[in-house]
Amino acid sequence: MTSAVDAQRPTTLDLGSARALSCRECGHQIPLAAEFACAECFGPLEVSYEFGKITRADIEAGPKSIWRYRGLLPVPADVDTHPNTDPGMTRLVKADRLGAALGVKNLWVKDDTGNPTHSFKDRVVAVALAAARQLGFSVLACPSTGNLANAVAAAAARAGWDSVVLIPSSLERAKILTTAVYDGALIAVDGNYDDVNRLATELAAEHEDWAFVNVNVRPYYAEGSKTLGYEVAEQLGWRLPGQVVIPVASGSQLTKVDKAFREFGDLGLVEPTPYRIFGAQATGCSPVSTAYKAGSDVIRPVKPDTIARSLAIGAPADGPYVLDSVRRTNGAVEDVTDEEVVEGIRLLARTEGIFAETAGGVTVATAKKLVENGKLDPDAETVLLITGDGLKTLDAVQDKIGPLATVPPSAAAVREALSRR
């Protein structure tokens, strides 16, 4: 029997150069659809393409957003004509002072705090929304550790769609408020992210008009992370960095940056030079780091216990593929304590004037640890991905920082306070 929703689904899809969904395990392909698991082996599906001729000039002539790469994404050619948040083209900062502090001679920071809702999640949601529109959905939804909640609620509001966002009830207050302000359906769930994710999968099966961006349209959503890799290469003058350090939650971002570098090389947009990929986790939720250090291919789920809540995914779906990427590129996965996370946040702020959320603290602190243990080459050009704004996680630093002193309104009192610094 055909449902009303099925009847509304388009019979032909305009998703650009995307041609099929392919299983990452067995290679089985299916037509483009709202599917995320292989019917043959239950492996994850990802988008396969038939790219046409794409030149640097074509990209440079495009919008100052991720849509300059639309020919490499599962979106229609007119994607930028539909209301969306137009994320991307965030700044790549030459971080000489941070590099000196870390002992890295040539360091860059990719600062994604400049996106519309101040995290990289605006990228993946924009691509998911474009695909969901083509697939005939009408509600944008997600389970989230916070940044995705903000991005989905904002993108739905901009597009005129309803949204349904599920979050753990323990989420940072700032992230709750910066989702609720868009007036979608925000539901807090008693449980951790893995509990919320299971609930979302159940609801996705019940509501055929709901596009859960990281569940039933996950293959399209995940492709949005490629734009981080594309931008880094373009902003470096059409070349690949020698090393990149990337925070790991589900692991999708790391694997897609790797995919982006390989695609640019295959298409002749950059010289396909060797690069190394490093993953960064918080010790309180470090199943991928644990597996890497043990030389294992099995990611054993953990119960998260860390201030880095945006990375607190105890059963990361792309964990095994993170291991594949870092091992293939001669990289590594490392983890850092909550105390090191806070110091990473403060170090980035005082050296480069960038206030990162806890995930950024994980990235900076992990880079420091990788240099100290000899895994990160201090002479190689290195990029750190800073994926979210510190205003979202003020609770992580509120007891660690504050005024130097409280003084009466006199110059003498100020001088005295400064003398004690």
Side-chain angles (χ1 to χ4, degrees):
M1 180 176 178
T2 301
S3 71
V5 171
D6 290 332
Q8 296 171 5
R9 295 270 162 86
T11 56
T12 59
L13 300 175
D14 178 8
L15 291 174
S17 54
R19 292 293 178 265
L21 296 179
S22 179
C23 178
R24 292 166 78 172
E25 290 295 322
C26 72
H28 177 69
Q29 289 195 344
I30 66 169
L32 296 169
E35 301 287 346
F36 63 97
C38 176
E40 299 295 319
C41 72
F42 302 106
L45 297 173
E46 70 172 355
V47 179
S48 295
Y49 300 88
E50 291 178 8
F51 294 129
K53 178 64 174 176
I54 298 174
T55 67
R56 294 179 183 178
D58 293 334
I59 292 171
E60 290 169 342
K64 297 295 185 182
S65 71
I66 63 170
W67 305 133
R68 66 201 287 111
Y69 308 112
R70 57 192 164 195
L72 301 170
L73 298 170
V75 299
D78 67 347
V79 61
D80 57 329
T81 66
H82 298 280
N84 70 88
T85 58
D86 292 310
M89 289 310 291
T90 56
R91 61 183 184 157
L92 183 68
V93 178
K94 190 69 171 68
D96 291 335
R97 295 189 69 236
L98 177 61
L102 297 180
V104 177
K105 293 181 180 178
N106 191 2
L107 184 67
W108 299 84
V109 167
K110 179 59 172 168
D111 179 13
D112 238 29
T113 66
N115 275 311
T117 67
H118 309 291
S119 88
F120 88 98
K121 289 295 187 180
D122 290 313
R123 300 172 180 272
V124 289
V125 170
V127 175
L129 172 62
R133 183 182 288 112
Q134 285 292 311
L135 291 163
F137 290 100
S138 59
V139 176
L140 208 61
C142 72
S144 175
T145 57
N147 286 326
L148 182 58
N150 295 172
V152 164
R158 171 72 177 131
W161 287 32
D162 290 333
S163 64
V164 177
V165 172
L166 309 176
I167 57 171
S169 56
S170 61
L171 197 63
E172 297 101 331
R173 182 67 176 165
K175 289 181 179 176
I176 294 174
L177 295 177
T178 51
T179 301
V181 71
Y182 298 106
D183 209 23
L186 175 63
I187 299 173
V189 178
D190 289 330
N192 60 30
Y193 174 79
D194 298 297
D195 298 319
V196 176
N197 193 48
R198 284 190 292 271
L199 177 59
T201 302
E202 179 182 340
L203 290 169
E206 294 179 2
H207 298 274
E208 294 182 324
D209 59 336
W210 292 9
F212 276 89
V213 296
N214 50 346
V215 182
N216 52 358
V217 292
R218 183 178 178 82
Y220 311 97
Y221 156 93
E223 293 293 284
S225 285
K226 294 194 304 182
T227 61
L228 268 166
Y230 295 153
E231 286 179 23
V232 165
E234 182 181 354
Q235 290 170 324
L236 285 175
W238 297 102
R239 57 186 170 80
L240 302 180
Q243 302 173 142
V244 58
V245 184
I246 305 173
V248 174
S250 72
S252 177
Q253 181 187 85
L254 184 148
T255 65
K256 295 306 181 182
V257 169
D258 181 22
K259 186 178 182 181
F261 288 170
R262 286 182 286 129
E263 286 179 346
F264 260 25
D266 291 343
L267 290 166
L269 293 167
V270 298
E271 184 181 349
T273 52
Y275 58 87
R276 302 171 69 202
I277 291 184
F278 295 87
Q281 291 203 294
T283 302
C285 186
S286 55
V288 184
S289 177
T290 299
Y292 171 80
K293 292 175 182 178
S296 175
D297 295 326
V298 178
I299 308 294
R300 300 190 181 280
V302 300
K303 185 175 180 179
D305 182 16
T306 174
I307 61 171
R309 294 188 183 96
S310 62
L311 303 183
I313 297 180
D318 285 88
Y321 305 107
V322 169
L323 295 176
D324 290 344
S325 290
V326 298
R327 287 168 176 162
R328 193 192 75 253
T329 63
N330 195 31
V333 188
E334 187 55 89
D335 58 272
V336 289
T337 66
D338 283 356
E339 292 75 16
E340 290 171 309
V341 172
V342 173
E343 179 50 35
I345 293 171
R346 298 182 68 182
L347 178 60
L348 177 61
R350 68 174 173 261
T351 57
E352 300 299 339
I354 298 171
F355 183 21
E357 68 162 4
T358 47
V362 170
T363 300
V364 173
T366 295
K368 181 175 185 291
K369 193 170 184 178
L370 288 167
V371 173
E372 291 170 348
N373 63 26
K375 293 179 180 177
L376 196 74
D377 182 355
D379 295 323
E381 184 171 51
T382 304
V383 176
L384 309 184
L385 299 192
I386 302 302
T387 55
D389 196 307
L391 292 174
K392 298 185 177 203
T393 57
L394 291 172
D395 57 327
V397 296
Q398 64 184 3
D399 296 330
K400 310 290 184 181
I401 57 177
L404 174 64
T406 300
V407 301
S410 76
V414 171
R415 287 195 296 270
E416 182 182 354
L418 291 173
S419 71
R420 298 196 301 266
R421 188 173 184 183

